[in-house]
Amino acid sequence: MALSRDEVLACLRGIDAPSGTNLVEAGLVRALNVEGTSVRFVMEVESPEPYTNAKSEAEDALKNLGASAVSIVMTAHSTPKPPPDLGTGRKAEPAGPEKIPGIDRIIAVASGKGGVGKSTVASNLACALAAEGRRVGLLDADVYGPSQPRMLGVSGRPQSPDGKIILPLRNHGVTMMSIGLMTNEDQAVVWRGPMLMGALQQMLSQVQWGALDVLIVDLPPGTGDVQMTLAQKAHLDGAIVVSTPQDVALLDAR
């Protein structure tokens, strides 16, 4: 007498699974095929050893039900391992410019060439905004000619209590950090790309700027690693390009 699918499933519900339920409720019976008195299905398990007895009981129960041929195939599947971490253990760097926590706006002050008054404009703008009650920071990123310490009348080495966070200096209501405070006054700064980029990122992220309405960044003259790093890492809200009225100076600025 031919068996029906419902009869086979009802029979398998009487077989206990190691999980505490039966084979059907545990979702172990897959690809069930009932043809006459022939029954075939797959038991999909994580490991075959705990289910050996359940398989034998299912075969005996189906034969007692009237099955002439019973085929139960157990397949063991394992959770695929995650791909190896080929990184360096560091967090992935952001793909684009990001806002610096605590700083509302960043304004870059640049020039096409040196000696046009760029640093003077940056320091005067910072002091003017501070005089109006704004919380202002001034970052002297002109690594080749850092003049903001003299402009604002500050001196001395910035402190770092924990060796990580740098405490900026303050005068005229302006919070200021300059690479000139980290080097000797009579020492030339001869840095290439990676060192420039690292210094700028350190002054942006490791200086304890606090809450600022605006951070003014005094850039080196021209275009180079410092300018590109700032544009790639920090979200700029505006830029001021300083120039003198001579034709050659305006050509450089443009």
Side-chain angles (χ1 to χ4, degrees), residues 89-105:
R90 299 178 301 177
K91 292 183 179 179
E93 295 188 359
E98 284 196 336
K99 296 283 287 186
I100 298 177
I103 299 177
D104 291 342
R105 295 175 180 83

Side-chain angles (χ1 to χ4, degrees), residues 113 116 242-251 253-254:
K113 58 185 294 185
V116 296
V242 181
S243 176
T244 53
Q246 289 81 13
D247 290 341
V248 174
L250 290 173
L251 283 174
R254 292 193 181 101

Side-chain angles (χ1 to χ4, degrees), residues 143 146 157 179-189 191:
V143 293
R157 297 274 183 174
I179 194 65
L181 299 172
M182 315 293 286
T183 59
N184 296 327
E185 190 173 351
D186 57 350
Q187 178 183 355
V189 178
W191 289 354

Side-chain angles (χ1 to χ4, degrees), residues 215-231:
L215 174 65
I216 297 173
V217 183
D218 183 10
L219 293 171
T223 55
D225 293 317
V226 174
Q227 289 86 344
M228 288 188 293
T229 299
L230 180 65

